[in-house]
Structure formats: C-alpha cells, structure tokens
C-alpha cells in the first residue's frame, strides 16, 4: 500500500467553510506570448476572471450550431443517454454532456483555433477537454444554477489539483438581461471558497439538476458580492464569455418566452491532469470529468 501523501492547496467539503487565497496564476502564458487574445484583454482576464467576446462565431456559421443543438435535444436516443440531463418538471432535455464526442459539428468547434487557441494562450500549454456540454434553458420556467465555483467541484470530485482550467460559454441564442443569463462576480477568482459538508456518493446525479454539496453559504456570498459586485452577460448568438475556473458564478431562472441556449467547453492544461478526488468518495463519470488527457489538435 502506498504511503505517499499529496498536498491539497484548496481544502473543501470539511466541517466548516474556509476561504483560501489563490496560489496559482490566472494567465499561465509568459508576458508577451503570442495568441489570438490581445495583451490588454489578457490583463483584463487576469484582473476580473473573465473575458467577453462580442462575436466568436460569425452570423453565417451560427445556424449550423443551432441546427445541431436542436437535432440533439429532440433525438430520443440522446434523451435516453446517461449523458443527458432532463428538466424535472417539463421532461425536456436541459443539458447533453460530452457533446464533442457525440457530435462532429461540436468536435470541430472544439478544434477551431478561435476556441482552442485562446485556451492554450490563457493556460500556457496544450490543453484537453475536461468537460463539454450543450445547455438549453427554454422559456417559461427553466431553472437556473445557484452560485458556485466550478473549480470547487472539479477539485473535490474530479481531482483537478490546480487552477489551470478555463471555460468558454458560447451563446447559440440571444442572451438578454431577462432570460436567465450568466452572472459572474469580477475578481472572485482570487479567493477559493472551500464549502462545508461531505460529498454524498454519486453526488453528480443530483447536482447536475440542482447544486447542493459545494454550495457557498449566504453569508459568504453576501461578502463576495459586496466586495466584487455582480456582472450580467448579454449578447447575440455567436458571442462568448471566457471565465476562470474559480470565478464565482450562477444564473437565474428563465421565466420569459425566449429560450437561452449555449455550448459550454472546459479546457484543462495537459500539465494539470486529474488525480483522485480531493473530497469525494469516488470519481465522477468520465463524461463529466474526463480521464482522457489527449491534447486537442
């Protein structure tokens, strides 16, 4: 039996909530490194923990991705797949995970230099896809996601050691300020909020519909919001928001008639591959937290 111990830089899921200052860089590439992101925008990403892009996908391309999303969410075989999350009330498909393996259309998007090139520049290395999914928020009552840090879950339940992971949310429909858009607390990525409470076995089955374990307290969220404020992201189809893995974020319910859909891709550095979970009894399934670390080419 191995007696090797490992260092946990970001303890969580203990008896109490603990705030830990970030020890990892935000932008991992050296100053002046070439890439599609201007240096001024990289500086903004480092400061705020996010970067909004008005048009990552052009108007002449967006229809292809919208059609593919609609095909996937209306396919009975996809709905029955374990990689799909179904809205409890309407029984409509809410999310489809590992979409870059299910769909060649989204696989090509992952390999698109406009997408993966930005991830490499932020993370300073080759990258692989830790997670991908399409999210669908239909009108008239689709529920939101409560405030959370993705890294808290990826560290606790997937075993990502360091904050060397970045996400991009690409809008496939108009994101209004009323239809349950993404909200981020600027600068919150500088502090890791370790949450209280143990991780139940197979927690992912519940958390994909409603977050419970890994949820910050009201008191902590109030302090974060008072300190950092809250930014709401809007934009037309084809716009994108890049955000750091530790940014505190969430979204509200969509009670408007207007759906909100996006494709969500998580890139992790090949130098930050997953180990055993830091605060969970078992790993999550590979379609949620990848164990194939092959670089995107």
């Amino acid at each position: 039996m191995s007696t090797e111990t490992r260092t946990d830089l970001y303890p969580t899921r203990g008896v109490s909530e603990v705030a830990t200052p970030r020890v990892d860089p935000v932008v991992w590439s050296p100053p002046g490194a070439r890439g599609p992101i201007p240096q001024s925008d990289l500086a903004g990403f480092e400061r705020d923990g996010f970067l909004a892009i008005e048009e990552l996908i052009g108007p002449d391309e967006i229809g292809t991705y919208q059609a593919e999303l609609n095909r996937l969410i209306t396919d009975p075989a996809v709905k029955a797949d374990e990689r799909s999350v179904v809205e409890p009330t309407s029984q409509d498909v809410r999310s489809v995970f590992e979409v870059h393996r299910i769909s060649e259309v989204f696989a090509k998007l992952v390999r698109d230099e406009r997408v993966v090139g930005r991830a490499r520049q932020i993370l300073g290395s080759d990258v692989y896809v830790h997670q991908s999914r399409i999210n669908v928020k239909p009108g008239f009552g689709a529920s939101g996601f409560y405030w959370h840090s993705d890294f808290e879950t990826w560290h606790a339940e997937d075993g990502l050691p360091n904050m060397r992971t970045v996400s991009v949310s690409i809008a496939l429909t108009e994101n209004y300020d009323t239809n349950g858009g993404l909200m981020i607390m600027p600068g919150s990525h500088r502090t890791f909020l370790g949450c209280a409470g143990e991780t139940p076995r197979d927690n992912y089955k519940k958390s994909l519909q409603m977050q419970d374990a890994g949820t910050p307290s009201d008191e902590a969220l109030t302090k974060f919001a008072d300190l950092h404020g809250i930014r709401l992201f809007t934009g037309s189809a084809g716009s994108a928001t890049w955000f750091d893995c530790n940014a505190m974020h969430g979204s509200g319910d969509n009670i408007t008639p207007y759906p909100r859909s996006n494709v969500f891709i998580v890139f992790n550095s090949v130098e930050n591959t997953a180990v055993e979970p830091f605060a969970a009894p078992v790993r999550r399934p590979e379609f949620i937290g990848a164990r194939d670390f092959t670089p995107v080419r």
Side-chain angles (χ1 to χ4, degrees):
M1 180 182 295
S2 172
T3 58
E4 181 182 356
T5 60
R6 59 179 181 170
T7 301
D8 184 355
L9 297 174
Y10 302 106
T12 189
R13 312 280 174 102
V15 295
S16 60
E17 198 171 53
V18 178
T20 303
R22 181 185 187 123
V23 297
D24 290 314
V26 178
V27 174
W28 289 74
S29 59
R34 297 182 64 181
I37 306 175
Q39 291 299 309
S40 58
D41 287 347
L42 268 183
F45 182 88
E46 181 155 2
R47 179 189 67 241
D48 298 328
F50 60 79
L51 171 63
I53 298 174
E54 285 188 20
E55 186 181 292
L56 184 65
I57 297 174
D60 57 330
E61 304 169 88
I62 195 66
T64 300
Y65 299 106
Q66 291 171 335
E68 182 68 354
L69 178 141
N70 290 331
R71 183 188 71 81
L72 291 169
I73 66 173
T74 56
D75 185 336
V78 173
K79 183 176 182 178
D81 194 292
E82 65 173 344
R83 290 172 286 191
S84 293
V85 179
V86 177
E87 186 77 24
T89 51
S90 69
Q91 290 299 298
D92 292 330
V93 174
R94 174 184 178 134
S95 298
V96 180
F97 281 79
E98 215 171 40
V99 71
H100 71 295
R101 295 194 183 278
I102 294 174
S103 163
E104 181 56 30
V105 171
F106 287 113
K108 288 180 179 178
L109 180 63
V110 164
R111 299 191 298 266
D112 191 310
E113 193 60 27
R114 294 172 296 180
V115 178
V116 70
R118 285 177 164 87
R120 292 189 189 109
Q121 188 178 4
I122 291 169
L123 301 180
S125 68
D126 279 334
V127 297
Y128 70 93
V129 177
H130 176 70
Q131 184 185 106
S132 73
R133 66 180 187 262
I134 48 173
N135 291 327
V136 182
K137 227 182 201 183
F140 299 119
S143 55
F145 281 100
Y146 200 66
W147 291 104
H148 63 286
S149 154
D150 285 331
F151 180 75
E152 194 279 336
T153 298
W154 299 338
H155 182 70
E157 300 185 36
D158 296 338
L160 295 191
N162 296 91
M163 295 180 183
R164 199 170 181 180
T165 315
V166 67
S167 302
V168 60
S169 175
I170 305 172
L172 300 181
T173 55
E174 184 84 18
N175 280 234
Y176 302 103
D177 57 4
T178 52
N179 65 342
L182 174 69
M183 296 181 288
I184 298 178
M185 297 185 186
S188 59
H189 62 305
R190 294 285 186 182
T191 303
F192 176 76
L193 189 61
C195 298
E198 293 185 358
T199 308
R201 192 177 186 89
D202 291 337
N203 179 55
Y204 77 94
K205 293 180 180 179
K206 180 181 179 183
S207 67
L208 294 182
Q209 293 183 333
M210 182 174 292
Q211 187 87 357
D212 188 9
T215 301
S217 68
D218 291 352
E219 292 77 13
L221 287 171
T222 300
K223 289 179 180 177
F224 267 51
D226 286 346
L227 180 62
H228 301 295
I230 297 172
R231 167 79 183 272
L232 171 66
F233 292 87
T234 60
S236 59
S239 61
T241 305
W242 290 85
F243 58 103
D244 179 82
C245 59
N246 191 47
M248 190 65 70
H249 66 288
S251 64
D253 296 350
N254 181 14
I255 61 171
T256 75
Y258 310 112
R260 176 179 172 265
S261 300
N262 69 298
V263 56
F264 181 77
I265 307 163
V266 181
F267 293 101
N268 188 39
S269 169
V270 296
E271 299 173 13
N272 186 45
T273 53
V275 295
E276 291 304 309
F278 283 85
V282 293
R283 301 174 180 179
R284 297 196 299 174
E286 291 198 24
F287 67 84
I288 300 174
R291 295 279 163 171
D292 180 351
F293 310 133
T294 305
V296 176
R297 297 293 186 212

